[in-house]
Amino acid sequence: MSGPAVRLPGLPAASRCLVMGVVNVTPDSFSDGGRWFGTTAAIAHGLQLAAEGADIVDVGGESTRPGAERITEAEELARTEPVVTALVQSGITVSVDTTRAVVAERALAVGARIVNDVSGGLADPAMAGLIARTGVPYIVVHWRGPSATMQELAVYEDVVAEVRDELSQRVAALTAAGVRPTQLIIDPGLGFAKLPSHNWALLARLTALAALDHPAGPFPVLVGASRKRFIGRLLASGTGAPRPPLECDDATVAMTALAAAAGAWCVRVHAVPGNADAVRVAARWNEESVHESA
Ligand code: PMM
């Protein structure tokens, strides 16, 4: 992987894996059950995540849980824009989690610095042009289709090779539209058209994935494992009941330590403090491994 030291346009150079805190301005997200739905609650939560050590706060207005139906563009704008505006005004580095170019454009206009697109540009043909024009860092997530039907698309012969090929195709399409490779961060899209076994295979091969099939690789990698269902399944009780998402934060910290030690650029998490500690532990650990191999 290119590791955390990578430079992205408009962002300070990082000496360790970054922590992205999540603000879902939605009534129905799987990971936090709609606790931050409403402008005031969402802003307060974003401020808290930053105070706890989040380097970036990711603001999203549309739930991507499996089976979720889409909301209108107007609704998504009404949910995200005031929250992005307030967090930017407080000096926070904000990313906007959206698949719609219009929502991304409005967020950038009020000061968001990163676009996080779980469809990797596939959901909205206008997204590539916006990213090329604005030059901002863009998170390209592996995606095969909308949330309503994505689990039917979780069919792979070799998940690592296929995700790598499909992300390589997205990077080729984006650069053909004028996006510079230095703007791009890639993301395996854990849980997006993936079964638990697919997610684990991808996590174990992050370095292979980061190279992609592209001359500009390796790319910085973002890992979004926090509170996801496959962690809950791993930690299921004796009766087979999955561990609820809000009880998966300790396991998320373990995933963060492993991802950061493997060279991830950023982890996207719901609870910041433990993960902020984990990235520091991994950075110190890796520093020593560099000395050892020198
Ligand atoms: N997962 C969710 C939403 N946005 N963005 C990126 N880059 N990577 C992810 O894995 C990702 C994402 C799923 O929703 P959640 O907010 O409930 O975890």
mmCIF file of all heavy atoms in Angstrom, residues 20 22 24 29-32 58 64-65 97 116-118 139 141 187 189-190 192 222-228 268 270, ligand 1:
data_model
loop_
_atom_site.group_PDB
_atom_site.id
_atom_site.type_symbol
_atom_site.label_atom_id
_atom_site.label_comp_id
_atom_site.label_asym_id
_atom_site.label_seq_id
_atom_site.Cartn_x
_atom_site.Cartn_y
_atom_site.Cartn_z
ATOM 1 N N MET A 20 -11.540 8.733 10.439
ATOM 2 C CA MET A 20 -12.716 9.447 9.930
ATOM 3 C C MET A 20 -13.903 9.073 10.816
ATOM 4 O O MET A 20 -14.240 7.889 10.936
ATOM 5 C CB MET A 20 -12.972 9.016 8.476
ATOM 6 C CG MET A 20 -14.266 9.524 7.877
ATOM 7 S SD MET A 20 -14.559 8.816 6.233
ATOM 8 C CE MET A 20 -13.606 9.896 5.202
ATOM 9 N N VAL A 22 -17.928 9.145 11.750
ATOM 10 C CA VAL A 22 -19.134 9.102 10.919
ATOM 11 C C VAL A 22 -20.294 9.859 11.562
ATOM 12 O O VAL A 22 -20.639 9.609 12.723
ATOM 13 C CB VAL A 22 -19.596 7.636 10.735
ATOM 14 C CG1 VAL A 22 -20.854 7.560 9.880
ATOM 15 C CG2 VAL A 22 -18.482 6.790 10.153
ATOM 16 N N ASN A 24 -24.079 10.037 10.504
ATOM 17 C CA ASN A 24 -25.173 9.631 9.624
ATOM 18 C C ASN A 24 -26.407 10.459 9.981
ATOM 19 O O ASN A 24 -27.014 10.249 11.026
ATOM 20 C CB ASN A 24 -25.501 8.140 9.820
ATOM 21 C CG ASN A 24 -24.470 7.237 9.170
ATOM 22 O OD1 ASN A 24 -23.971 7.517 8.082
ATOM 23 N ND2 ASN A 24 -24.144 6.131 9.824
ATOM 24 N N SER A 29 -30.018 4.273 9.836
ATOM 25 C CA SER A 29 -28.754 3.589 9.560
ATOM 26 C C SER A 29 -28.584 2.372 10.469
ATOM 27 O O SER A 29 -28.959 2.406 11.639
ATOM 28 C CB SER A 29 -27.573 4.549 9.731
ATOM 29 O OG SER A 29 -27.428 5.289 8.564
ATOM 30 N N PHE A 30 -28.005 1.326 9.890
ATOM 31 C CA PHE A 30 -27.812 0.075 10.614
ATOM 32 C C PHE A 30 -26.887 0.271 11.814
ATOM 33 O O PHE A 30 -27.113 -0.257 12.900
ATOM 34 C CB PHE A 30 -27.195 -0.937 9.636
ATOM 35 C CG PHE A 30 -26.742 -2.215 10.267
ATOM 36 C CD1 PHE A 30 -27.668 -3.166 10.660
ATOM 37 C CD2 PHE A 30 -25.397 -2.466 10.476
ATOM 38 C CE1 PHE A 30 -27.244 -4.351 11.252
ATOM 39 C CE2 PHE A 30 -24.969 -3.636 11.060
ATOM 40 C CZ PHE A 30 -25.897 -4.584 11.446
ATOM 41 N N SER A 31 -25.854 1.094 11.621
ATOM 42 C CA SER A 31 -24.770 1.173 12.593
ATOM 43 C C SER A 31 -25.104 1.974 13.847
ATOM 44 O O SER A 31 -24.526 1.755 14.890
ATOM 45 C CB SER A 31 -23.556 1.802 11.923
ATOM 46 O OG SER A 31 -23.950 3.013 11.306
ATOM 47 N N ASP A 32 -25.995 2.954 13.730
ATOM 48 C CA ASP A 32 -26.289 3.775 14.914
ATOM 49 C C ASP A 32 -27.772 4.037 15.102
ATOM 50 O O ASP A 32 -28.156 4.865 15.946
ATOM 51 C CB ASP A 32 -25.484 5.086 14.898
ATOM 52 C CG ASP A 32 -25.546 5.781 13.556
ATOM 53 O OD1 ASP A 32 -26.539 5.564 12.853
ATOM 54 O OD2 ASP A 32 -24.617 6.518 13.219
ATOM 55 N N ASP A 58 -17.184 12.608 8.469
ATOM 56 C CA ASP A 58 -17.889 12.205 7.248
ATOM 57 C C ASP A 58 -19.384 12.391 7.459
ATOM 58 O O ASP A 58 -19.967 11.760 8.344
ATOM 59 C CB ASP A 58 -17.572 10.714 6.989
ATOM 60 C CG ASP A 58 -18.046 10.213 5.639
ATOM 61 O OD1 ASP A 58 -17.860 10.930 4.633
ATOM 62 O OD2 ASP A 58 -18.585 9.083 5.584
ATOM 63 N N THR A 64 -27.306 3.551 3.525
ATOM 64 C CA THR A 64 -26.887 2.579 2.513
ATOM 65 C C THR A 64 -27.050 1.159 3.044
ATOM 66 O O THR A 64 -26.453 0.231 2.528
ATOM 67 C CB THR A 64 -25.404 2.816 2.120
ATOM 68 O OG1 THR A 64 -24.613 2.858 3.320
ATOM 69 C CG2 THR A 64 -25.236 4.100 1.361
ATOM 70 N N ARG A 65 -27.857 0.985 4.094
ATOM 71 C CA ARG A 65 -28.023 -0.360 4.659
ATOM 72 C C ARG A 65 -28.645 -1.263 3.596
ATOM 73 O O ARG A 65 -29.438 -0.799 2.766
ATOM 74 C CB ARG A 65 -28.862 -0.332 5.933
ATOM 75 C CG ARG A 65 -30.278 0.110 5.730
ATOM 76 C CD ARG A 65 -31.044 0.182 7.016
ATOM 77 N NE ARG A 65 -31.280 -1.113 7.597
ATOM 78 C CZ ARG A 65 -31.565 -1.325 8.875
ATOM 79 N NH1 ARG A 65 -31.629 -0.297 9.713
ATOM 80 N NH2 ARG A 65 -31.793 -2.517 9.336
ATOM 81 N N ASP A 97 -20.559 12.138 2.337
ATOM 82 C CA ASP A 97 -20.816 10.760 1.924
ATOM 83 C C ASP A 97 -22.062 10.784 1.051
ATOM 84 O O ASP A 97 -23.189 10.835 1.559
ATOM 85 C CB ASP A 97 -21.027 9.921 3.193
ATOM 86 C CG ASP A 97 -21.196 8.437 2.913
ATOM 87 O OD1 ASP A 97 -21.432 8.053 1.752
ATOM 88 O OD2 ASP A 97 -21.099 7.648 3.878
ATOM 89 N N ASN A 116 -16.857 11.360 -0.605
ATOM 90 C CA ASN A 116 -16.848 9.929 -0.307
ATOM 91 C C ASN A 116 -18.060 9.319 -1.011
ATOM 92 O O ASN A 116 -19.193 9.536 -0.600
ATOM 93 C CB ASN A 116 -16.942 9.746 1.216
ATOM 94 C CG ASN A 116 -17.075 8.295 1.624
ATOM 95 O OD1 ASN A 116 -16.679 7.387 0.883
ATOM 96 N ND2 ASN A 116 -17.638 8.064 2.807
ATOM 97 N N ASP A 117 -17.804 8.556 -2.073
ATOM 98 C CA ASP A 117 -18.901 8.074 -2.929
ATOM 99 C C ASP A 117 -18.945 6.546 -2.874
ATOM 100 O O ASP A 117 -18.089 5.880 -3.462
ATOM 101 C CB ASP A 117 -18.650 8.575 -4.357
ATOM 102 C CG ASP A 117 -19.712 8.120 -5.358
ATOM 103 O OD1 ASP A 117 -20.583 7.311 -4.979
ATOM 104 O OD2 ASP A 117 -19.652 8.572 -6.508
ATOM 105 N N VAL A 118 -19.936 5.994 -2.176
ATOM 106 C CA VAL A 118 -19.993 4.530 -2.034
ATOM 107 C C VAL A 118 -20.285 3.827 -3.358
ATOM 108 O O VAL A 118 -20.154 2.610 -3.445
ATOM 109 C CB VAL A 118 -20.996 4.051 -0.944
ATOM 110 C CG1 VAL A 118 -20.617 4.584 0.431
ATOM 111 C CG2 VAL A 118 -22.422 4.379 -1.313
ATOM 112 N N ILE A 139 -13.072 9.432 -2.666
ATOM 113 C CA ILE A 139 -13.012 8.042 -2.204
ATOM 114 C C ILE A 139 -13.871 7.180 -3.126
ATOM 115 O O ILE A 139 -15.083 7.360 -3.216
ATOM 116 C CB ILE A 139 -13.471 7.935 -0.740
ATOM 117 C CG1 ILE A 139 -12.589 8.833 0.139
ATOM 118 C CG2 ILE A 139 -13.422 6.472 -0.264
ATOM 119 C CD1 ILE A 139 -13.141 9.112 1.526
ATOM 120 N N VAL A 141 -15.384 3.832 -3.814
ATOM 121 C CA VAL A 141 -15.761 2.609 -3.098
ATOM 122 C C VAL A 141 -16.198 1.548 -4.107
ATOM 123 O O VAL A 141 -16.875 1.863 -5.096
ATOM 124 C CB VAL A 141 -16.901 2.906 -2.090
ATOM 125 C CG1 VAL A 141 -17.260 1.649 -1.285
ATOM 126 C CG2 VAL A 141 -16.510 4.043 -1.149
ATOM 127 N N ASP A 187 -11.423 2.019 -1.812
ATOM 128 C CA ASP A 187 -12.098 1.422 -0.651
ATOM 129 C C ASP A 187 -12.747 0.118 -1.117
ATOM 130 O O ASP A 187 -13.484 0.128 -2.114
ATOM 131 C CB ASP A 187 -13.147 2.438 -0.160
ATOM 132 C CG ASP A 187 -13.929 1.986 1.054
ATOM 133 O OD1 ASP A 187 -14.145 0.778 1.215
ATOM 134 O OD2 ASP A 187 -14.368 2.859 1.821
ATOM 135 N N GLY A 189 -15.181 -1.435 -0.053
ATOM 136 C CA GLY A 189 -16.641 -1.463 0.045
ATOM 137 C C GLY A 189 -17.147 -2.643 0.859
ATOM 138 O O GLY A 189 -18.009 -3.418 0.423
ATOM 139 N N LEU A 190 -16.625 -2.769 2.083
ATOM 140 C CA LEU A 190 -17.025 -3.890 2.950
ATOM 141 C C LEU A 190 -18.541 -3.835 3.165
ATOM 142 O O LEU A 190 -19.089 -2.788 3.511
ATOM 143 C CB LEU A 190 -16.273 -3.817 4.283
ATOM 144 C CG LEU A 190 -14.743 -3.822 4.156
ATOM 145 C CD1 LEU A 190 -14.088 -3.559 5.512
ATOM 146 C CD2 LEU A 190 -14.235 -5.126 3.550
ATOM 147 N N PHE A 192 -20.803 -3.980 0.910
ATOM 148 C CA PHE A 192 -21.536 -3.560 -0.295
ATOM 149 C C PHE A 192 -21.443 -4.686 -1.325
ATOM 150 O O PHE A 192 -20.400 -4.864 -1.957
ATOM 151 C CB PHE A 192 -20.960 -2.258 -0.872
ATOM 152 C CG PHE A 192 -21.202 -1.066 0.006
ATOM 153 C CD1 PHE A 192 -20.273 -0.684 0.961
ATOM 154 C CD2 PHE A 192 -22.372 -0.331 -0.103
ATOM 155 C CE1 PHE A 192 -20.499 0.407 1.787
ATOM 156 C CE2 PHE A 192 -22.611 0.757 0.725
ATOM 157 C CZ PHE A 192 -21.676 1.133 1.669
ATOM 158 N N LEU A 222 -8.943 3.295 2.126
ATOM 159 C CA LEU A 222 -9.803 3.558 3.289
ATOM 160 C C LEU A 222 -10.537 2.268 3.641
ATOM 161 O O LEU A 222 -11.027 1.562 2.746
ATOM 162 C CB LEU A 222 -10.810 4.670 2.973
ATOM 163 C CG LEU A 222 -11.682 5.103 4.155
ATOM 164 C CD1 LEU A 222 -11.953 6.621 4.098
ATOM 165 C CD2 LEU A 222 -13.020 4.388 4.200
ATOM 166 N N VAL A 223 -10.599 1.963 4.932
ATOM 167 C CA VAL A 223 -11.292 0.755 5.396
ATOM 168 C C VAL A 223 -12.503 1.169 6.234
ATOM 169 O O VAL A 223 -12.365 1.877 7.240
ATOM 170 C CB VAL A 223 -10.336 -0.142 6.226
ATOM 171 C CG1 VAL A 223 -11.094 -1.307 6.853
ATOM 172 C CG2 VAL A 223 -9.193 -0.653 5.351
ATOM 173 N N GLY A 224 -13.686 0.731 5.819
ATOM 174 C CA GLY A 224 -14.921 1.046 6.537
ATOM 175 C C GLY A 224 -15.536 -0.228 7.095
ATOM 176 O O GLY A 224 -16.497 -0.758 6.542
ATOM 177 N N ALA A 225 -14.964 -0.718 8.190
ATOM 178 C CA ALA A 225 -15.452 -1.974 8.777
ATOM 179 C C ALA A 225 -16.347 -1.730 9.989
ATOM 180 O O ALA A 225 -17.077 -2.620 10.420
ATOM 181 C CB ALA A 225 -14.265 -2.837 9.199
ATOM 182 N N SER A 226 -16.307 -0.505 10.520
ATOM 183 C CA SER A 226 -16.899 -0.207 11.823
ATOM 184 C C SER A 226 -18.344 -0.690 11.965
ATOM 185 O O SER A 226 -19.207 -0.353 11.146
ATOM 186 C CB SER A 226 -16.845 1.321 12.014
ATOM 187 O OG SER A 226 -17.396 1.709 13.238
ATOM 188 N N ARG A 227 -18.571 -1.470 13.001
ATOM 189 C CA ARG A 227 -19.910 -1.939 13.398
ATOM 190 C C ARG A 227 -20.655 -2.720 12.307
ATOM 191 O O ARG A 227 -21.867 -2.887 12.384
ATOM 192 C CB ARG A 227 -20.797 -0.764 13.838
ATOM 193 C CG ARG A 227 -20.329 -0.075 15.099
ATOM 194 C CD ARG A 227 -21.297 1.011 15.529
ATOM 195 N NE ARG A 227 -20.800 1.711 16.713
ATOM 196 C CZ ARG A 227 -21.331 2.836 17.195
ATOM 197 N NH1 ARG A 227 -22.385 3.375 16.603
ATOM 198 N NH2 ARG A 227 -20.840 3.398 18.268
ATOM 199 N N LYS A 228 -19.934 -3.183 11.293
ATOM 200 C CA LYS A 228 -20.660 -3.848 10.198
ATOM 201 C C LYS A 228 -21.113 -5.247 10.611
ATOM 202 O O LYS A 228 -20.573 -5.853 11.527
ATOM 203 C CB LYS A 228 -19.825 -3.835 8.923
ATOM 204 C CG LYS A 228 -19.852 -2.416 8.314
ATOM 205 C CD LYS A 228 -19.503 -2.322 6.871
ATOM 206 C CE LYS A 228 -19.762 -0.873 6.421
ATOM 207 N NZ LYS A 228 -18.965 -0.468 5.284
ATOM 208 N N ARG A 268 -12.753 4.439 8.693
ATOM 209 C CA ARG A 268 -14.027 5.160 8.883
ATOM 210 C C ARG A 268 -14.759 4.485 10.031
ATOM 211 O O ARG A 268 -15.087 3.301 9.937
ATOM 212 C CB ARG A 268 -14.834 5.077 7.585
ATOM 213 C CG ARG A 268 -16.179 5.773 7.625
ATOM 214 C CD ARG A 268 -16.902 5.602 6.293
ATOM 215 N NE ARG A 268 -18.203 6.228 6.319
ATOM 216 C CZ ARG A 268 -19.305 5.674 6.829
ATOM 217 N NH1 ARG A 268 -19.245 4.453 7.375
ATOM 218 N NH2 ARG A 268 -20.452 6.303 6.804
ATOM 219 N N HIS A 270 -17.401 4.772 13.820
ATOM 220 C CA HIS A 270 -18.505 5.462 14.501
ATOM 221 C C HIS A 270 -18.109 5.979 15.884
ATOM 222 O O HIS A 270 -18.631 6.975 16.346
ATOM 223 C CB HIS A 270 -19.705 4.517 14.617
ATOM 224 C CG HIS A 270 -20.181 4.075 13.277
ATOM 225 N ND1 HIS A 270 -19.671 2.962 12.648
ATOM 226 C CD2 HIS A 270 -21.081 4.616 12.425
ATOM 227 C CE1 HIS A 270 -20.247 2.830 11.465
ATOM 228 N NE2 HIS A 270 -21.105 3.815 11.301
HETATM 229 N N1 PMM B 1 -19.920 2.261 4.626
HETATM 230 C C1 PMM B 1 -21.079 2.871 4.859
HETATM 231 C C2 PMM B 1 -21.306 4.200 4.457
HETATM 232 N N2 PMM B 1 -20.324 4.904 3.844
HETATM 233 N N3 PMM B 1 -18.136 5.010 2.999
HETATM 234 C C3 PMM B 1 -16.971 4.405 2.738
HETATM 235 N N4 PMM B 1 -15.983 5.078 2.111
HETATM 236 N N5 PMM B 1 -16.726 3.112 3.090
HETATM 237 C C4 PMM B 1 -17.661 2.358 3.715
HETATM 238 O O1 PMM B 1 -17.387 1.168 3.986
HETATM 239 C C5 PMM B 1 -18.923 2.957 4.000
HETATM 240 C C6 PMM B 1 -19.127 4.298 3.617
HETATM 241 C C7 PMM B 1 -22.135 2.076 5.557
HETATM 242 O O2 PMM B 1 -22.879 2.767 6.419
HETATM 243 P P1 PMM B 1 -22.631 3.046 8.006
HETATM 244 O O3 PMM B 1 -22.415 4.507 8.089
HETATM 245 O O4 PMM B 1 -23.877 2.609 8.626
HETATM 246 O O5 PMM B 1 -21.445 2.289 8.464
#
